[in-house]
Amino acid sequence: MTTAAIIVAAGRGTRLGGDRPKQFRELGGKAMICRTLEAFDRIDGIGPVVVVVHPYDESLYRASVPDWADRPPVVHGGATRQASVLAGLERLVSEKPEIVLIHDGARPFVSAQLIARVEKAAKDAGSAIPVVPVTDTVKEVDGADNVTGSPDRTLLRAAQTPQGFAFEAILTAHRRAARDGDTAFTDDASVAAWAGLSTVTVAGDVANTKITTERDLMLAEAILGGPETKWETRVGQGFDVHRFTDGTGVRLCGVDISHDRSLEGHSDADVAMHALTDALYGALAEGDIGRHFPPSDPQWKGAPSRIFLEHACRLAGARGRIVAVDVTIICEVPKIGPHAAAMQRTLSKIMGLAVDRISIKATTSEGLGFTGRREGIAAMATATVAVRTQHAEPEHGADT
Ligand code: MG
């Protein structure tokens, strides 16, 4: 009577940004996958444990879990989570476990008590999952994102992992689903339900969170309180100028403002958003817009500037988080004040940053210079970015 475990770590999603899949990112000084495996390794009576990783990530896995004599063996995953789980199940066939626990590699905070609850319920009922109450009211929407219904929240639960199953039953269900080409299941209880198996629930744990976003990772770091991750504050500046040309309006910080002139430029000439984007690149020492989106490349002609800003925000998100930005627009006309709040809201949506972290200011240049002569608009911006430092900085003056 044995219980095996499959840790699914084959996703290559880069929602967290960065150069490695989230399960191999560092969390309090060690790789997330290492913490997840330790949670299972601490429990007597669970084994074997297999880890499913993408073939590209096998060396990353070996580097992430370096010192274990009995480091769990690797199985190569498939194109979907479901295919990866099936690969793990097939690897366990020769072991003939009674129960298998299937767990997300990106849930490193799973407790021994939770694992034990799921294991016991799976032994009793054949199929068991941990769930937590849903605290937000859930909405159903149609294809146009309009609300079509509000399911009764008291009947809803959010499913976690590990999910536990009688091995033979879940293996059969997964094999059948794969053979029938049903590949859209997002958890194993869904595969079990599709195969006609009934599943019981046990109390999950709100701490057993799945780390998906950069914010999740930051919260996890804060919970661990590890000294290994240090933060530093970076400030970048950006400056840009576009000249007026014939036209009927300008776009500034993503907001269209009617005017008797337009701005000339290769993209949509959003001079303020360009300055802001360059400030973010500056904080990250990532050059400027021209380096990432060369003006010589015709695909950026007429491009909305938000794609530049989104790119800079993704780079910032991969390294840390944006603390605040401050934009100053310099022109005699049009008047900026009436549009500043709309600019804040627009930038907030694009950047995923609260409006109280986004400052929009404007000034004239008292009739002096090119902006004073109404020949164009200038914009300057600063960006403050908190960046993780994962490696020791070279000491000042050290020979290199
Ligand atoms: Mg520009």
Short mmCIF file of all heavy atoms in Angstrom, two decimals, residues 240-242 267 269-271 274-275 289, ligand 1:
data_model
loop_
_atom_site.label_atom_id
_atom_site.label_comp_id
_atom_site.label_asym_id
_atom_site.label_seq_id
_atom_site.Cartn_x
_atom_site.Cartn_y
_atom_site.Cartn_z
N ASP A 240 11.90 63.47 -24.35
CA ASP A 240 11.58 63.34 -25.77
C ASP A 240 10.94 64.62 -26.28
O ASP A 240 10.35 65.39 -25.50
CB ASP A 240 10.61 62.16 -25.99
CG ASP A 240 10.58 61.71 -27.44
OD1 ASP A 240 11.54 62.01 -28.19
OD2 ASP A 240 9.59 61.06 -27.83
N VAL A 241 11.10 64.82 -27.56
CA VAL A 241 10.53 66.00 -28.23
C VAL A 241 9.91 65.55 -29.55
O VAL A 241 10.50 64.71 -30.25
CB VAL A 241 11.64 67.04 -28.55
CG1 VAL A 241 11.07 68.17 -29.42
CG2 VAL A 241 12.25 67.60 -27.28
N HIS A 242 8.71 66.02 -29.84
CA HIS A 242 8.16 65.84 -31.19
C HIS A 242 7.67 67.19 -31.68
O HIS A 242 7.13 67.99 -30.91
CB HIS A 242 7.00 64.84 -31.18
CG HIS A 242 7.46 63.41 -31.13
ND1 HIS A 242 7.30 62.52 -32.16
CD2 HIS A 242 8.10 62.72 -30.15
CE1 HIS A 242 7.80 61.34 -31.82
NE2 HIS A 242 8.31 61.44 -30.59
N SER A 267 5.90 56.63 -34.92
CA SER A 267 4.80 55.87 -34.33
C SER A 267 3.60 56.80 -34.20
O SER A 267 3.38 57.64 -35.06
CB SER A 267 5.22 55.32 -32.96
OG SER A 267 5.44 56.40 -32.08
N ALA A 269 3.51 59.12 -32.18
CA ALA A 269 4.12 60.39 -31.73
C ALA A 269 3.68 60.79 -30.33
O ALA A 269 3.61 61.98 -30.01
CB ALA A 269 3.83 61.51 -32.73
N ASP A 270 3.38 59.82 -29.48
CA ASP A 270 2.98 60.12 -28.09
C ASP A 270 4.24 60.45 -27.29
O ASP A 270 4.85 59.59 -26.64
CB ASP A 270 2.24 58.91 -27.49
CG ASP A 270 1.60 59.24 -26.15
OD1 ASP A 270 2.10 60.15 -25.46
OD2 ASP A 270 0.62 58.57 -25.79
N VAL A 271 4.61 61.70 -27.36
CA VAL A 271 5.89 62.16 -26.83
C VAL A 271 5.99 61.88 -25.32
O VAL A 271 7.07 61.51 -24.81
CB VAL A 271 6.09 63.67 -27.16
CG1 VAL A 271 4.98 64.50 -26.55
CG2 VAL A 271 7.44 64.17 -26.74
N HIS A 274 6.58 58.22 -24.71
CA HIS A 274 7.95 57.87 -25.07
C HIS A 274 8.92 58.24 -23.95
O HIS A 274 9.80 57.45 -23.60
CB HIS A 274 8.37 58.60 -26.36
CG HIS A 274 7.62 58.15 -27.57
ND1 HIS A 274 7.78 58.70 -28.82
CD2 HIS A 274 6.66 57.19 -27.72
CE1 HIS A 274 6.97 58.10 -29.69
NE2 HIS A 274 6.28 57.18 -29.04
N ALA A 275 8.75 59.43 -23.38
CA ALA A 275 9.63 59.84 -22.28
C ALA A 275 9.48 58.89 -21.10
O ALA A 275 10.47 58.47 -20.48
CB ALA A 275 9.30 61.28 -21.86
N ILE A 289 13.86 53.31 -26.32
CA ILE A 289 12.87 52.72 -27.22
C ILE A 289 13.50 52.29 -28.54
O ILE A 289 13.21 51.21 -29.06
CB ILE A 289 11.72 53.72 -27.49
CG1 ILE A 289 10.94 54.00 -26.21
CG2 ILE A 289 10.78 53.18 -28.57
CD1 ILE A 289 9.87 55.09 -26.37
MG MG B 1 9.59 59.91 -29.56
#
